[in-house]
Amino acid sequence: MDKLDFPESPLQLIHAPELDAAGVSLHVKRDDLLHPTIQGNKWRKLKYNLKAMKQARQSALLTFAGPFSNHLYATAMACKQFGIQGSAIIRGSQLDQNNPTIRFAKACGITLHAVSRQEYRLRNDPDYLTQLQHRFPDTFIVPEGGSNQYALQGCQELAQSLPESHFVCCAVGSGGTLAGMLDGLSDDSQLLGISVLKGAQYLDDEVQRLNPHAAQRTNWQILHDYHDGGYGKFSASLWQFCLRMRQQHALPLEPIYTGKLIYALWQLIEQGYFPRGSRIIAIHSGGLQGLDGLRYRNLI
């Protein structure tokens, strides 16, 4: 628990004729390379939660996750690496013991509690959380996906690690990564979020709830038309794009988060969305373990 600072992840410059034609540069912040398993925005969010847990002198951690969750995967390894007693409330009344994410979490030694979808909907309910606190004494509770005020500190740190650019772009699921990054960027940089959920205009309000400063900042927005069908859904063309980026640029992507982000940027660049001379940085938020889950379900 004393070694929570990993070496900073690298920036990868992408070379492509489409970028040259548009007169823009694109770097990818390879946060998938932060750690072999505790990577990307999930580590950024966990880092200060773990520090807060230590300061509170609590020895155990409890969180919430879907059965294929990147957050579950990263949290399980963090608990193993730092010797934390971990538990997770899992959506769904039964655990699929062959699910690769579930198998990994159990191998890391955390305890999984499957609950009905009805009970899982209570994960943010204050009374339910109070019941869990009594059921799991001396336990630090981290919300689903890890997005809370502690998470924002880690995402702000991510933004502060970046060189000056005109645009910083990230995938948006819960809004936590974008909300935290906003405080780490200068007003001269535009923060562009790509929603991976369909009909999720509420995310604009969620960012402002997580970070009240967002209401006064004018250098951010979320684009809602690049979800490719909705959360967990993706087209054959998006998956082929992910494969092409890996083959041509040595850039591994998955089609749920980072694939949608880079695919959206590619379309925006070809449409002339970014002024010529723009320096663009895209955040690779990790989540590559999700590919195993997609293969397991025969979706790729």
Side-chain angles (χ1 to χ4, degrees), residues 1 4 41-63 71 75 78-79 82 84 139-155 157 176 210:
M1 285 289 288
L4 292 177
N41 64 339
K42 297 309 177 188
W43 170 246
R44 300 285 185 178
K45 293 178 180 181
L46 276 171
K47 177 180 176 180
Y48 286 96
N49 272 286
L50 295 181
K51 289 191 174 186
M53 186 187 81
K54 182 181 180 181
Q55 290 170 358
R57 299 185 181 280
Q58 292 172 308
S59 59
L61 181 150
L62 172 71
T63 194
H71 173 63
T75 301
C79 287
F82 299 114
I84 299 167
T139 295
F140 189 86
I141 298 180
V142 177
E144 180 185 51
S147 289
N148 57 12
Q149 295 307 306
Y150 301 116
L152 264 59
Q153 295 179 55
C155 296
E157 201 171 74
L210 287 166

mmCIF file of all heavy atoms in Angstrom, residues 1 4 41-63 71 75 78-79 82 84 139-155 157 176 210:
data_model
loop_
_atom_site.group_PDB
_atom_site.id
_atom_site.type_symbol
_atom_site.label_atom_id
_atom_site.label_comp_id
_atom_site.label_asym_id
_atom_site.label_seq_id
_atom_site.Cartn_x
_atom_site.Cartn_y
_atom_site.Cartn_z
ATOM 1 N N MET A 1 0.817 -1.216 0.000
ATOM 2 C CA MET A 1 0.000 0.000 0.000
ATOM 3 C C MET A 1 0.850 1.266 0.000
ATOM 4 O O MET A 1 0.347 2.353 -0.161
ATOM 5 C CB MET A 1 -0.935 0.015 1.206
ATOM 6 C CG MET A 1 -2.123 -0.921 1.077
ATOM 7 S SD MET A 1 -3.314 -0.336 -0.140
ATOM 8 C CE MET A 1 -4.014 1.053 0.738
ATOM 9 N N LEU A 4 1.932 3.183 -4.436
ATOM 10 C CA LEU A 4 0.753 3.379 -5.272
ATOM 11 C C LEU A 4 1.036 4.255 -6.487
ATOM 12 O O LEU A 4 0.111 4.637 -7.191
ATOM 13 C CB LEU A 4 -0.382 3.999 -4.445
ATOM 14 C CG LEU A 4 -0.973 3.098 -3.360
ATOM 15 C CD1 LEU A 4 -2.030 3.845 -2.569
ATOM 16 C CD2 LEU A 4 -1.574 1.840 -3.968
ATOM 17 N N ASN A 41 -8.063 3.885 -16.758
ATOM 18 C CA ASN A 41 -8.799 4.771 -15.853
ATOM 19 C C ASN A 41 -9.251 4.038 -14.589
ATOM 20 O O ASN A 41 -9.522 4.666 -13.571
ATOM 21 C CB ASN A 41 -9.989 5.419 -16.564
ATOM 22 C CG ASN A 41 -11.034 4.417 -17.005
ATOM 23 O OD1 ASN A 41 -10.769 3.225 -17.152
ATOM 24 N ND2 ASN A 41 -12.241 4.898 -17.252
ATOM 25 N N LYS A 42 -9.306 2.694 -14.637
ATOM 26 C CA LYS A 42 -9.699 1.958 -13.437
ATOM 27 C C LYS A 42 -8.633 2.100 -12.352
ATOM 28 O O LYS A 42 -8.964 2.216 -11.171
ATOM 29 C CB LYS A 42 -9.951 0.488 -13.764
ATOM 30 C CG LYS A 42 -11.108 0.276 -14.737
ATOM 31 C CD LYS A 42 -12.374 1.012 -14.301
ATOM 32 C CE LYS A 42 -13.513 0.878 -15.286
ATOM 33 N NZ LYS A 42 -14.661 1.747 -14.931
ATOM 34 N N TRP A 43 -7.350 2.092 -12.730
ATOM 35 C CA TRP A 43 -6.319 2.342 -11.734
ATOM 36 C C TRP A 43 -6.334 3.791 -11.281
ATOM 37 O O TRP A 43 -6.189 4.090 -10.095
ATOM 38 C CB TRP A 43 -4.928 1.984 -12.258
ATOM 39 C CG TRP A 43 -3.872 2.469 -11.309
ATOM 40 C CD1 TRP A 43 -2.943 3.437 -11.520
ATOM 41 C CD2 TRP A 43 -3.685 2.038 -9.958
ATOM 42 N NE1 TRP A 43 -2.181 3.640 -10.398
ATOM 43 C CE2 TRP A 43 -2.622 2.782 -9.412
ATOM 44 C CE3 TRP A 43 -4.330 1.092 -9.154
ATOM 45 C CZ2 TRP A 43 -2.177 2.617 -8.109
ATOM 46 C CZ3 TRP A 43 -3.879 0.925 -7.845
ATOM 47 C CH2 TRP A 43 -2.822 1.683 -7.338
ATOM 48 N N ARG A 44 -6.501 4.722 -12.225
ATOM 49 C CA ARG A 44 -6.544 6.133 -11.858
ATOM 50 C C ARG A 44 -7.625 6.371 -10.803
ATOM 51 O O ARG A 44 -7.432 7.153 -9.863
ATOM 52 C CB ARG A 44 -6.841 6.993 -13.089
ATOM 53 C CG ARG A 44 -5.823 6.880 -14.219
ATOM 54 C CD ARG A 44 -4.539 7.602 -13.943
ATOM 55 N NE ARG A 44 -3.637 7.564 -15.094
ATOM 56 C CZ ARG A 44 -2.447 8.164 -15.121
ATOM 57 N NH1 ARG A 44 -2.008 8.846 -14.085
ATOM 58 N NH2 ARG A 44 -1.685 8.077 -16.201
ATOM 59 N N LYS A 45 -8.768 5.706 -10.941
ATOM 60 C CA LYS A 45 -9.866 5.883 -9.994
ATOM 61 C C LYS A 45 -9.603 5.165 -8.676
ATOM 62 O O LYS A 45 -9.976 5.645 -7.605
ATOM 63 C CB LYS A 45 -11.171 5.372 -10.619
ATOM 64 C CG LYS A 45 -11.656 6.203 -11.806
ATOM 65 C CD LYS A 45 -12.918 5.602 -12.404
ATOM 66 C CE LYS A 45 -13.421 6.416 -13.580
ATOM 67 N NZ LYS A 45 -14.675 5.853 -14.161
ATOM 68 N N LEU A 46 -8.964 4.007 -8.744
ATOM 69 C CA LEU A 46 -8.724 3.229 -7.529
ATOM 70 C C LEU A 46 -7.645 3.846 -6.638
ATOM 71 O O LEU A 46 -7.700 3.742 -5.405
ATOM 72 C CB LEU A 46 -8.307 1.804 -7.892
ATOM 73 C CG LEU A 46 -9.409 0.800 -8.193
ATOM 74 C CD1 LEU A 46 -8.816 -0.492 -8.735
ATOM 75 C CD2 LEU A 46 -10.241 0.524 -6.937
ATOM 76 N N LYS A 47 -6.666 4.466 -7.254
ATOM 77 C CA LYS A 47 -5.475 4.901 -6.519
ATOM 78 C C LYS A 47 -5.809 5.704 -5.262
ATOM 79 O O LYS A 47 -5.366 5.373 -4.149
ATOM 80 C CB LYS A 47 -4.574 5.724 -7.448
ATOM 81 C CG LYS A 47 -3.344 6.293 -6.757
ATOM 82 C CD LYS A 47 -2.502 7.094 -7.751
ATOM 83 C CE LYS A 47 -1.325 7.761 -7.062
ATOM 84 N NZ LYS A 47 -0.496 8.538 -8.016
ATOM 85 N N TYR A 48 -6.608 6.761 -5.424
ATOM 86 C CA TYR A 48 -6.883 7.610 -4.262
ATOM 87 C C TYR A 48 -7.974 7.040 -3.375
ATOM 88 O O TYR A 48 -8.086 7.412 -2.202
ATOM 89 C CB TYR A 48 -7.186 9.042 -4.722
ATOM 90 C CG TYR A 48 -5.928 9.747 -5.167
ATOM 91 C CD1 TYR A 48 -5.563 9.791 -6.510
ATOM 92 C CD2 TYR A 48 -5.067 10.319 -4.236
ATOM 93 C CE1 TYR A 48 -4.384 10.391 -6.913
ATOM 94 C CE2 TYR A 48 -3.885 10.934 -4.629
ATOM 95 C CZ TYR A 48 -3.548 10.963 -5.970
ATOM 96 O OH TYR A 48 -2.369 11.556 -6.362
ATOM 97 N N ASN A 49 -8.777 6.121 -3.896
ATOM 98 C CA ASN A 49 -9.688 5.369 -3.033
ATOM 99 C C ASN A 49 -8.886 4.495 -2.069
ATOM 100 O O ASN A 49 -9.212 4.390 -0.886
ATOM 101 C CB ASN A 49 -10.638 4.511 -3.870
ATOM 102 C CG ASN A 49 -11.897 5.246 -4.276
ATOM 103 O OD1 ASN A 49 -12.788 5.476 -3.462
ATOM 104 N ND2 ASN A 49 -11.962 5.633 -5.545
ATOM 105 N N LEU A 50 -7.819 3.861 -2.571
ATOM 106 C CA LEU A 50 -6.980 3.026 -1.716
ATOM 107 C C LEU A 50 -6.247 3.869 -0.677
ATOM 108 O O LEU A 50 -6.086 3.455 0.477
ATOM 109 C CB LEU A 50 -5.983 2.241 -2.564
ATOM 110 C CG LEU A 50 -6.577 1.209 -3.532
ATOM 111 C CD1 LEU A 50 -5.466 0.488 -4.288
ATOM 112 C CD2 LEU A 50 -7.468 0.215 -2.805
ATOM 113 N N LYS A 51 -5.813 5.058 -1.076
ATOM 114 C CA LYS A 51 -5.165 5.950 -0.110
ATOM 115 C C LYS A 51 -6.151 6.388 0.969
ATOM 116 O O LYS A 51 -5.805 6.446 2.158
ATOM 117 C CB LYS A 51 -4.579 7.167 -0.832
ATOM 118 C CG LYS A 51 -3.353 6.851 -1.682
ATOM 119 C CD LYS A 51 -2.656 8.114 -2.157
ATOM 120 C CE LYS A 51 -1.349 7.770 -2.875
ATOM 121 N NZ LYS A 51 -0.561 8.954 -3.235
ATOM 122 N N ALA A 52 -7.399 6.676 0.572
ATOM 123 C CA ALA A 52 -8.418 7.073 1.549
ATOM 124 C C ALA A 52 -8.749 5.916 2.486
ATOM 125 O O ALA A 52 -8.966 6.115 3.688
ATOM 126 C CB ALA A 52 -9.679 7.546 0.826
ATOM 127 N N MET A 53 -8.773 4.698 1.970
ATOM 128 C CA MET A 53 -9.025 3.518 2.786
ATOM 129 C C MET A 53 -7.939 3.356 3.841
ATOM 130 O O MET A 53 -8.209 3.071 5.007
ATOM 131 C CB MET A 53 -9.102 2.268 1.899
ATOM 132 C CG MET A 53 -9.493 1.013 2.649
ATOM 133 S SD MET A 53 -9.383 -0.484 1.628
ATOM 134 C CE MET A 53 -7.625 -0.783 1.737
ATOM 135 N N LYS A 54 -6.689 3.575 3.413
ATOM 136 C CA LYS A 54 -5.569 3.461 4.347
ATOM 137 C C LYS A 54 -5.645 4.534 5.433
ATOM 138 O O LYS A 54 -5.430 4.259 6.619
ATOM 139 C CB LYS A 54 -4.250 3.571 3.580
ATOM 140 C CG LYS A 54 -3.021 3.418 4.456
ATOM 141 C CD LYS A 54 -1.743 3.550 3.643
ATOM 142 C CE LYS A 54 -0.514 3.398 4.530
ATOM 143 N NZ LYS A 54 0.747 3.557 3.754
ATOM 144 N N GLN A 55 -5.976 5.759 5.018
ATOM 145 C CA GLN A 55 -6.070 6.855 5.989
ATOM 146 C C GLN A 55 -7.190 6.616 6.991
ATOM 147 O O GLN A 55 -7.100 7.031 8.149
ATOM 148 C CB GLN A 55 -6.275 8.182 5.254
ATOM 149 C CG GLN A 55 -5.041 8.639 4.486
ATOM 150 C CD GLN A 55 -5.314 9.821 3.571
ATOM 151 O OE1 GLN A 55 -6.444 10.299 3.472
ATOM 152 N NE2 GLN A 55 -4.272 10.296 2.891
ATOM 153 N N ALA A 56 -8.251 5.942 6.532
ATOM 154 C CA ALA A 56 -9.384 5.627 7.419
ATOM 155 C C ALA A 56 -9.106 4.402 8.278
ATOM 156 O O ALA A 56 -9.956 4.003 9.080
ATOM 157 C CB ALA A 56 -10.643 5.404 6.593
ATOM 158 N N ARG A 57 -7.916 3.805 8.087
ATOM 159 C CA ARG A 57 -7.503 2.611 8.835
ATOM 160 C C ARG A 57 -8.501 1.464 8.678
ATOM 161 O O ARG A 57 -8.780 0.719 9.622
ATOM 162 C CB ARG A 57 -7.298 2.953 10.320
ATOM 163 C CG ARG A 57 -6.215 3.989 10.554
ATOM 164 C CD ARG A 57 -5.953 4.216 12.032
ATOM 165 N NE ARG A 57 -4.937 5.233 12.246
ATOM 166 C CZ ARG A 57 -3.621 5.031 12.159
ATOM 167 N NH1 ARG A 57 -3.158 3.831 11.860
ATOM 168 N NH2 ARG A 57 -2.769 6.028 12.386
ATOM 169 N N GLN A 58 -9.025 1.344 7.469
ATOM 170 C CA GLN A 58 -9.911 0.219 7.164
ATOM 171 C C GLN A 58 -9.114 -0.832 6.397
ATOM 172 O O GLN A 58 -8.263 -0.497 5.555
ATOM 173 C CB GLN A 58 -11.123 0.700 6.367
ATOM 174 C CG GLN A 58 -12.048 1.585 7.209
ATOM 175 C CD GLN A 58 -13.143 2.231 6.389
ATOM 176 O OE1 GLN A 58 -12.879 2.859 5.371
ATOM 177 N NE2 GLN A 58 -14.387 2.090 6.840
ATOM 178 N N SER A 59 -9.403 -2.080 6.670
ATOM 179 C CA SER A 59 -8.567 -3.163 6.132
ATOM 180 C C SER A 59 -9.216 -3.912 4.976
ATOM 181 O O SER A 59 -8.587 -4.773 4.370
ATOM 182 C CB SER A 59 -8.237 -4.164 7.250
ATOM 183 O OG SER A 59 -9.438 -4.703 7.797
ATOM 184 N N ALA A 60 -10.474 -3.610 4.691
ATOM 185 C CA ALA A 60 -11.188 -4.350 3.646
ATOM 186 C C ALA A 60 -11.854 -3.380 2.684
ATOM 187 O O ALA A 60 -12.105 -2.217 3.010
ATOM 188 C CB ALA A 60 -12.220 -5.285 4.266
ATOM 189 N N LEU A 61 -12.143 -3.883 1.487
ATOM 190 C CA LEU A 61 -12.760 -3.067 0.436
ATOM 191 C C LEU A 61 -13.947 -3.817 -0.154
ATOM 192 O O LEU A 61 -13.874 -5.026 -0.375
ATOM 193 C CB LEU A 61 -11.723 -2.750 -0.644
ATOM 194 C CG LEU A 61 -12.130 -1.889 -1.846
ATOM 195 C CD1 LEU A 61 -10.925 -1.108 -2.357
ATOM 196 C CD2 LEU A 61 -12.684 -2.740 -2.988
ATOM 197 N N LEU A 62 -15.020 -3.096 -0.411
ATOM 198 C CA LEU A 62 -16.218 -3.655 -1.048
ATOM 199 C C LEU A 62 -16.604 -2.772 -2.221
ATOM 200 O O LEU A 62 -16.595 -1.544 -2.113
ATOM 201 C CB LEU A 62 -17.382 -3.713 -0.056
ATOM 202 C CG LEU A 62 -18.759 -4.085 -0.627
ATOM 203 C CD1 LEU A 62 -18.798 -5.557 -1.029
ATOM 204 C CD2 LEU A 62 -19.872 -3.782 0.380
ATOM 205 N N THR A 63 -16.935 -3.391 -3.353
ATOM 206 C CA THR A 63 -17.376 -2.613 -4.508
ATOM 207 C C THR A 63 -18.502 -3.341 -5.221
ATOM 208 O O THR A 63 -18.954 -4.404 -4.788
ATOM 209 C CB THR A 63 -16.199 -2.306 -5.451
ATOM 210 O OG1 THR A 63 -16.590 -1.284 -6.370
ATOM 211 C CG2 THR A 63 -15.747 -3.551 -6.207
ATOM 212 N N HIS A 71 -13.765 -2.790 -14.023
ATOM 213 C CA HIS A 71 -13.555 -2.337 -12.646
ATOM 214 C C HIS A 71 -13.354 -3.530 -11.713
ATOM 215 O O HIS A 71 -12.472 -3.514 -10.843
ATOM 216 C CB HIS A 71 -14.753 -1.498 -12.203
ATOM 217 C CG HIS A 71 -14.750 -1.116 -10.758
ATOM 218 N ND1 HIS A 71 -13.770 -0.325 -10.196
ATOM 219 C CD2 HIS A 71 -15.606 -1.439 -9.743
ATOM 220 C CE1 HIS A 71 -14.029 -0.148 -8.902
ATOM 221 N NE2 HIS A 71 -15.117 -0.829 -8.608
ATOM 222 N N THR A 75 -9.912 -4.109 -9.713
ATOM 223 C CA THR A 75 -10.026 -4.100 -8.260
ATOM 224 C C THR A 75 -9.536 -5.416 -7.663
ATOM 225 O O THR A 75 -8.869 -5.427 -6.620
ATOM 226 C CB THR A 75 -11.483 -3.845 -7.831
ATOM 227 O OG1 THR A 75 -11.922 -2.579 -8.369
ATOM 228 C CG2 THR A 75 -11.622 -3.802 -6.321
ATOM 229 N N ALA A 78 -5.807 -5.372 -7.669
ATOM 230 C CA ALA A 78 -5.313 -4.405 -6.689
ATOM 231 C C ALA A 78 -5.390 -4.992 -5.281
ATOM 232 O O ALA A 78 -4.461 -4.829 -4.477
ATOM 233 C CB ALA A 78 -6.113 -3.114 -6.774
ATOM 234 N N CYS A 79 -6.481 -5.686 -4.981
ATOM 235 C CA CYS A 79 -6.618 -6.311 -3.665
ATOM 236 C C CYS A 79 -5.536 -7.374 -3.458
ATOM 237 O O CYS A 79 -4.945 -7.465 -2.380
ATOM 238 C CB CYS A 79 -8.011 -6.934 -3.516
ATOM 239 S SG CYS A 79 -9.335 -5.716 -3.312
ATOM 240 N N PHE A 82 -1.936 -5.609 -3.129
ATOM 241 C CA PHE A 82 -1.705 -4.796 -1.941
ATOM 242 C C PHE A 82 -2.200 -5.465 -0.654
ATOM 243 O O PHE A 82 -2.268 -4.818 0.392
ATOM 244 C CB PHE A 82 -2.341 -3.413 -2.119
ATOM 245 C CG PHE A 82 -1.777 -2.644 -3.281
ATOM 246 C CD1 PHE A 82 -2.564 -2.338 -4.376
ATOM 247 C CD2 PHE A 82 -0.449 -2.246 -3.282
ATOM 248 C CE1 PHE A 82 -2.039 -1.641 -5.465
ATOM 249 C CE2 PHE A 82 0.087 -1.545 -4.356
ATOM 250 C CZ PHE A 82 -0.708 -1.243 -5.449
ATOM 251 N N ILE A 84 -5.203 -6.636 0.304
ATOM 252 C CA ILE A 84 -6.469 -6.118 0.815
ATOM 253 C C ILE A 84 -7.528 -7.221 0.778
ATOM 254 O O ILE A 84 -7.635 -7.957 -0.205
ATOM 255 C CB ILE A 84 -6.951 -4.923 -0.038
ATOM 256 C CG1 ILE A 84 -5.915 -3.791 0.021
ATOM 257 C CG2 ILE A 84 -8.316 -4.433 0.411
ATOM 258 C CD1 ILE A 84 -6.142 -2.716 -1.033
ATOM 259 N N THR A 139 -14.982 -1.805 6.562
ATOM 260 C CA THR A 139 -14.840 -1.965 5.111
ATOM 261 C C THR A 139 -15.043 -0.630 4.404
ATOM 262 O O THR A 139 -15.982 0.112 4.705
ATOM 263 C CB THR A 139 -15.841 -3.003 4.580
ATOM 264 O OG1 THR A 139 -15.521 -4.280 5.131
ATOM 265 C CG2 THR A 139 -15.795 -3.100 3.063
ATOM 266 N N PHE A 140 -14.175 -0.339 3.459
ATOM 267 C CA PHE A 140 -14.255 0.871 2.644
ATOM 268 C C PHE A 140 -15.060 0.535 1.389
ATOM 269 O O PHE A 140 -14.718 -0.392 0.655
ATOM 270 C CB PHE A 140 -12.844 1.329 2.267
ATOM 271 C CG PHE A 140 -12.781 2.676 1.607
ATOM 272 C CD1 PHE A 140 -12.717 3.829 2.358
ATOM 273 C CD2 PHE A 140 -12.776 2.787 0.221
ATOM 274 C CE1 PHE A 140 -12.638 5.078 1.755
ATOM 275 C CE2 PHE A 140 -12.710 4.025 -0.398
ATOM 276 C CZ PHE A 140 -12.648 5.175 0.378
ATOM 277 N N ILE A 141 -16.155 1.267 1.147
ATOM 278 C CA ILE A 141 -17.035 0.962 0.023
ATOM 279 C C ILE A 141 -16.713 1.879 -1.156
ATOM 280 O O ILE A 141 -16.704 3.108 -1.026
ATOM 281 C CB ILE A 141 -18.517 1.101 0.427
ATOM 282 C CG1 ILE A 141 -18.850 0.085 1.538
ATOM 283 C CG2 ILE A 141 -19.425 0.895 -0.779
ATOM 284 C CD1 ILE A 141 -20.295 0.142 2.022
ATOM 285 N N VAL A 142 -16.445 1.254 -2.295
ATOM 286 C CA VAL A 142 -16.157 1.974 -3.542
ATOM 287 C C VAL A 142 -17.335 1.772 -4.483
ATOM 288 O O VAL A 142 -17.790 0.637 -4.671
ATOM 289 C CB VAL A 142 -14.863 1.437 -4.195
ATOM 290 C CG1 VAL A 142 -14.599 2.127 -5.535
ATOM 291 C CG2 VAL A 142 -13.679 1.633 -3.260
ATOM 292 N N PRO A 143 -17.872 2.827 -5.091
ATOM 293 C CA PRO A 143 -19.041 2.669 -5.960
ATOM 294 C C PRO A 143 -18.730 1.900 -7.243
ATOM 295 O O PRO A 143 -17.562 1.689 -7.595
ATOM 296 C CB PRO A 143 -19.456 4.105 -6.271
ATOM 297 C CG PRO A 143 -18.197 4.902 -6.102
ATOM 298 C CD PRO A 143 -17.441 4.227 -4.994
ATOM 299 N N GLU A 144 -19.763 1.508 -7.934
ATOM 300 C CA GLU A 144 -19.625 0.826 -9.219
ATOM 301 C C GLU A 144 -18.780 1.675 -10.163
ATOM 302 O O GLU A 144 -18.980 2.880 -10.289
ATOM 303 C CB GLU A 144 -21.010 0.596 -9.834
ATOM 304 C CG GLU A 144 -20.982 -0.102 -11.180
ATOM 305 C CD GLU A 144 -22.370 -0.193 -11.794
ATOM 306 O OE1 GLU A 144 -23.046 0.854 -11.863
ATOM 307 O OE2 GLU A 144 -22.765 -1.299 -12.195
ATOM 308 N N GLY A 145 -17.813 1.039 -10.813
ATOM 309 C CA GLY A 145 -16.961 1.769 -11.742
ATOM 310 C C GLY A 145 -15.888 2.608 -11.078
ATOM 311 O O GLY A 145 -14.995 3.124 -11.739
ATOM 312 N N GLY A 146 -15.997 2.776 -9.748
ATOM 313 C CA GLY A 146 -14.978 3.526 -9.008
ATOM 314 C C GLY A 146 -15.139 5.026 -9.026
ATOM 315 O O GLY A 146 -14.308 5.746 -8.478
ATOM 316 N N SER A 147 -16.198 5.565 -9.660
ATOM 317 C CA SER A 147 -16.327 7.017 -9.820
ATOM 318 C C SER A 147 -16.881 7.673 -8.556
ATOM 319 O O SER A 147 -18.045 7.499 -8.204
ATOM 320 C CB SER A 147 -17.241 7.340 -11.011
ATOM 321 O OG SER A 147 -16.600 7.034 -12.225
ATOM 322 N N ASN A 148 -16.010 8.405 -7.868
ATOM 323 C CA ASN A 148 -16.398 9.226 -6.728
ATOM 324 C C ASN A 148 -15.376 10.362 -6.598
ATOM 325 O O ASN A 148 -14.565 10.573 -7.496
ATOM 326 C CB ASN A 148 -16.482 8.386 -5.441
ATOM 327 C CG ASN A 148 -15.172 7.668 -5.109
ATOM 328 O OD1 ASN A 148 -14.126 7.951 -5.702
ATOM 329 N ND2 ASN A 148 -15.227 6.750 -4.160
ATOM 330 N N GLN A 149 -15.415 11.088 -5.501
ATOM 331 C CA GLN A 149 -14.525 12.243 -5.348
ATOM 332 C C GLN A 149 -13.054 11.828 -5.293
ATOM 333 O O GLN A 149 -12.181 12.556 -5.770
ATOM 334 C CB GLN A 149 -14.899 13.030 -4.083
ATOM 335 C CG GLN A 149 -16.275 13.666 -4.150
ATOM 336 C CD GLN A 149 -16.472 14.519 -5.394
ATOM 337 O OE1 GLN A 149 -15.681 15.421 -5.671
ATOM 338 N NE2 GLN A 149 -17.515 14.237 -6.157
ATOM 339 N N TYR A 150 -12.768 10.653 -4.741
ATOM 340 C CA TYR A 150 -11.384 10.184 -4.719
ATOM 341 C C TYR A 150 -10.916 9.847 -6.134
ATOM 342 O O TYR A 150 -9.769 10.096 -6.493
ATOM 343 C CB TYR A 150 -11.260 8.962 -3.816
ATOM 344 C CG TYR A 150 -11.677 9.222 -2.388
ATOM 345 C CD1 TYR A 150 -12.772 8.566 -1.831
ATOM 346 C CD2 TYR A 150 -10.984 10.131 -1.594
ATOM 347 C CE1 TYR A 150 -13.168 8.800 -0.520
ATOM 348 C CE2 TYR A 150 -11.377 10.383 -0.282
ATOM 349 C CZ TYR A 150 -12.471 9.708 0.249
ATOM 350 O OH TYR A 150 -12.862 9.955 1.539
ATOM 351 N N ALA A 151 -11.807 9.265 -6.912
ATOM 352 C CA ALA A 151 -11.457 8.904 -8.289
ATOM 353 C C ALA A 151 -11.080 10.133 -9.100
ATOM 354 O O ALA A 151 -10.183 10.084 -9.952
ATOM 355 C CB ALA A 151 -12.630 8.177 -8.941
ATOM 356 N N LEU A 152 -11.758 11.250 -8.840
ATOM 357 C CA LEU A 152 -11.493 12.464 -9.598
ATOM 358 C C LEU A 152 -10.048 12.921 -9.428
ATOM 359 O O LEU A 152 -9.439 13.454 -10.364
ATOM 360 C CB LEU A 152 -12.450 13.582 -9.167
ATOM 361 C CG LEU A 152 -13.710 13.745 -10.031
ATOM 362 C CD1 LEU A 152 -14.542 12.470 -10.058
ATOM 363 C CD2 LEU A 152 -14.573 14.910 -9.540
ATOM 364 N N GLN A 153 -9.463 12.690 -8.259
ATOM 365 C CA GLN A 153 -8.079 13.105 -8.029
ATOM 366 C C GLN A 153 -7.128 12.352 -8.962
ATOM 367 O O GLN A 153 -6.187 12.935 -9.516
ATOM 368 C CB GLN A 153 -7.683 12.831 -6.579
ATOM 369 C CG GLN A 153 -8.444 13.643 -5.555
ATOM 370 C CD GLN A 153 -8.014 13.299 -4.139
ATOM 371 O OE1 GLN A 153 -6.828 13.366 -3.810
ATOM 372 N NE2 GLN A 153 -8.953 12.931 -3.298
ATOM 373 N N GLY A 154 -7.380 11.055 -9.135
ATOM 374 C CA GLY A 154 -6.523 10.270 -10.017
ATOM 375 C C GLY A 154 -6.666 10.674 -11.469
ATOM 376 O O GLY A 154 -5.680 10.691 -12.221
ATOM 377 N N CYS A 155 -7.888 11.009 -11.870
ATOM 378 C CA CYS A 155 -8.112 11.415 -13.261
ATOM 379 C C CYS A 155 -7.570 12.823 -13.517
ATOM 380 O O CYS A 155 -7.118 13.125 -14.629
ATOM 381 C CB CYS A 155 -9.604 11.327 -13.593
ATOM 382 S SG CYS A 155 -10.243 9.626 -13.518
ATOM 383 N N GLU A 157 -4.884 13.877 -12.100
ATOM 384 C CA GLU A 157 -3.455 13.573 -12.222
ATOM 385 C C GLU A 157 -3.121 13.111 -13.639
ATOM 386 O O GLU A 157 -2.075 13.471 -14.191
ATOM 387 C CB GLU A 157 -3.106 12.493 -11.206
ATOM 388 C CG GLU A 157 -1.659 12.394 -10.839
ATOM 389 C CD GLU A 157 -1.460 11.440 -9.661
ATOM 390 O OE1 GLU A 157 -1.574 10.216 -9.869
ATOM 391 O OE2 GLU A 157 -1.200 11.924 -8.545
ATOM 392 N N GLY A 176 -16.957 9.835 -14.763
ATOM 393 C CA GLY A 176 -15.948 10.112 -13.754
ATOM 394 C C GLY A 176 -14.604 10.527 -14.322
ATOM 395 O O GLY A 176 -13.955 11.450 -13.801
ATOM 396 N N LEU A 210 -20.552 15.333 -10.288
ATOM 397 C CA LEU A 210 -19.274 14.849 -9.781
ATOM 398 C C LEU A 210 -18.280 15.985 -9.575
ATOM 399 O O LEU A 210 -17.517 15.978 -8.601
ATOM 400 C CB LEU A 210 -18.694 13.813 -10.759
ATOM 401 C CG LEU A 210 -19.372 12.449 -10.795
ATOM 402 C CD1 LEU A 210 -18.923 11.664 -12.021
ATOM 403 C CD2 LEU A 210 -19.078 11.654 -9.524
#
